Amino acid sequence: SPVIAVNNFEPDGAAIGTVGPVIFNCEVKFAEDGEILCKGPNVMLGYYKRPDLTAEVIDKDGWFHTGDIGEFVDNRFLKITDRKKEMFKTSGGKYVAPQVLENKYKESAFIEQVMVVGAGQKFPGALVVPAFAYLKEWCQEQGISYTTDAEMIFDSKIRDRIWKEIDGYNKDFGKTEQVKKIKLLPVEWSVEGGELTPTLKLKRKVITEKYQQAIDEIYAG
């Protein structure tokens, strides 16, 4: 599919953080899981000589399934919040869009990186890499002796402070979406380390495999 929505220079035609208002003659609605669906003359007719692939993305009613999760801002501006393939279900059958939570948690000065986990589990959890430079300053202000990053993630005062940040942002989400437990990690993820793409997106599969023990500890007991 080509363009669905775009910010423009018309009066009230743009909103920061969104892709803009839906273009003329294009319809947009959301599936039950939040996926953006669209219909209109802008949408492709289908894949060339591949009716099987066409049926995967265009349903019987003509709606094109974009694979993006989104919402409307002010009932006008389309905002993309996640990719459907990154969503997961908890054991209770509730959908969780991890990127939405992660972007909110990263607003904290204490949190450098975070990945929400929990596919097939009772609740979402999170792997958290603290913002160590800020953490050192905070520890100095609090009179906490700072040794090494690897040691400090086990300090109860630090864990409690970072959990307070997570718990505060949890109020922006429904109960089934909220992160219930976290695990602090001592090393920042990087492109060189293989955890991030060149555009700095999380390689979720790599991180999951690399930190499976930490994830297991979140759900132990």
Side-chain angles (χ1 to χ4, degrees):
S1 174
V3 174
I4 295 171
V6 62
N7 281 302
N8 57 71
F9 293 106
E10 297 297 322
D12 195 30
I16 294 174
T18 76
V19 289
V22 175
I23 63 173
F24 174 72
N25 222 15
C26 175
E27 296 178 72
V28 166
K29 72 174 185 177
F30 302 99
E32 184 179 347
D33 60 5
E35 183 179 10
I36 301 170
L37 313 182
C38 71
K39 181 192 288 188
N42 58 316
V43 178
M44 68 173 182
L45 298 177
Y47 290 102
Y48 183 62
K49 293 185 178 180
R50 291 298 305 269
D52 54 330
L53 293 180
T54 300
E56 288 181 13
V57 295
I58 300 178
D59 63 30
K60 58 183 177 60
D61 297 317
W63 290 98
F64 176 77
H65 292 238
T66 64
D68 287 319
I69 304 299
E71 62 187 10
F72 275 125
V73 175
D74 297 332
N75 294 316
R76 173 175 170 78
F77 302 100
L78 184 63
K79 180 178 182 178
I80 297 173
T81 57
D82 213 329
R83 285 290 294 167
K84 183 173 180 176
K85 66 180 182 180
E86 294 191 346
M87 291 183 70
F88 61 80
K89 271 186 179 181
T90 61
S91 59
K94 300 297 183 180
Y95 284 103
V96 176
Q99 204 172 91
V100 181
L101 293 124
E102 291 159 0
N103 289 339
K104 177 57 68 172
Y105 297 143
K106 286 190 295 184
E107 291 179 11
S108 168
F110 285 90
I111 297 172
E112 185 68 31
Q113 297 167 318
V114 57
M115 189 178 89
V116 174
V117 298
Q121 301 289 349
K122 291 182 179 180
F123 57 85
L127 300 175
V128 178
V129 179
F132 289 110
Y134 185 84
L135 197 57
K136 287 178 183 177
E137 294 180 7
W138 181 80
C139 284
Q140 189 174 8
E141 292 173 359
Q142 300 297 314
I144 300 172
S145 178
Y146 199 101
T147 53
T148 66
D149 297 345
E151 290 181 354
M152 297 312 291
I153 63 170
F154 296 105
D155 187 288
S156 60
K157 291 180 181 178
I158 288 175
R159 284 183 294 173
D160 290 348
R161 185 64 187 84
I162 292 179
W163 171 250
K164 184 178 180 181
E165 294 290 299
I166 295 285
D167 198 37
Y169 288 120
N170 269 340
K171 294 176 175 59
D172 292 333
F173 304 105
K175 287 187 177 181
T176 58
E177 298 174 287
Q178 295 174 0
V179 161
K180 301 296 192 297
K181 290 180 69 177
I182 62 173
K183 186 72 176 178
L184 302 186
L185 301 179
V187 181
E188 190 173 327
W189 300 324
S190 66
V191 176
E192 294 75 20
E195 303 94 354
L196 303 180
T197 69
T199 55
L200 305 183
K201 291 182 175 64
L202 300 178
K203 289 186 177 179
R204 295 182 187 275
K205 185 177 180 182
V206 172
I207 295 172
T208 298
E209 292 175 352
K210 200 167 185 177
Y211 295 96
Q212 187 61 59
Q213 183 178 340
I215 294 172
D216 290 343
E217 289 173 4
I218 290 176
Y219 296 104

